[in-house]
Amino acid sequence: MSKLDKQFLEDRELRNAALAALKDDITHLKTGLSGKGLAERTVRRIGTGAKDALGDAGEAASDNRGIIAALFGAIALWFARGPILEGLGLELIGAGKDGNEIEEDLEAEAPEDDTLDDGKEIAEIEIAAEDAAPTPEDAPSETIPGDDND
């Protein structure tokens, strides 16, 4: 066997080994990227992250019990602000007599008829505005010098 034939056989063995390694890598990649593999990894990562966050929150809460208690007290006072202010004889800012928003009270005070202060009805003003608006048919057509698109 000549030197060239020997080199050819060695190169063929190297090529076959590389092809086998490539096929193994592709099979491994397909398995790893399958729906089941992705879902398992995602669930595992989310679960691990949630456990870590819960642990950190627990540690922070145990270190800052006073701050947590003050926060819950402030939330309780916020929800109980109406009865507390009533007991002090005050009224909520932004709320009406019955606790509803002021905007609702203003809507109730609006006139129910369709007239304005000067006696004209709203529909008459809208019709007059429509009559005054120019239409595209009324617009003069202008020609531009040098424009041959006519």
Side-chain angles (χ1 to χ4, degrees):
M1 194 184 300
S2 72
K3 183 178 179 184
L4 193 57
D5 290 338
K6 238 185 210 183
Q7 183 67 38
F8 175 74
L9 291 175
E10 288 175 8
D11 289 344
R12 181 181 282 177
E13 287 177 19
L14 284 173
R15 183 200 66 183
N16 290 342
L19 183 62
L22 179 66
K23 287 181 179 180
D24 287 342
D25 287 345
I26 290 173
T27 304
H28 182 2
L29 183 63
K30 283 182 181 179
T31 303
L33 292 179
S34 69
K36 183 179 178 184
L38 283 175
E40 287 176 5
R41 282 196 306 258
T42 304
V43 168
R44 191 177 327 125
R45 286 182 184 168
I46 290 173
T48 303
K51 286 178 186 176
D52 291 344
L54 187 60
D56 292 344
E59 289 175 14
S62 66
D63 292 343
N64 300 310
R65 290 181 191 263
I67 294 173
I68 301 295
L71 176 66
F72 282 123
I75 292 171
L77 285 174
W78 175 258
F79 285 117
R81 72 187 184 278
I84 292 172
L85 290 175
E86 252 180 48
L88 295 174
L90 301 173
E91 187 176 321
L92 278 175
I93 297 174
K97 296 173 188 168
D98 56 353
N100 295 332
E101 292 295 323
I102 291 178
E103 294 173 7
E104 294 175 4
D105 293 339
L106 292 177
E107 289 175 4
E109 295 174 6
E112 293 185 17
D113 58 352
D114 288 340
T115 59
L116 298 174
D117 291 337
D118 59 357
K120 291 185 180 180
E121 290 194 10
I122 295 173
E124 291 176 7
I125 294 173
E126 289 175 357
I127 292 172
E130 289 175 4
D131 291 340
T135 61
E137 299 157 355
D138 298 337
S141 62
E142 295 182 15
T143 57
I144 299 172
D147 189 12
D148 296 333
N149 292 336
D150 292 343

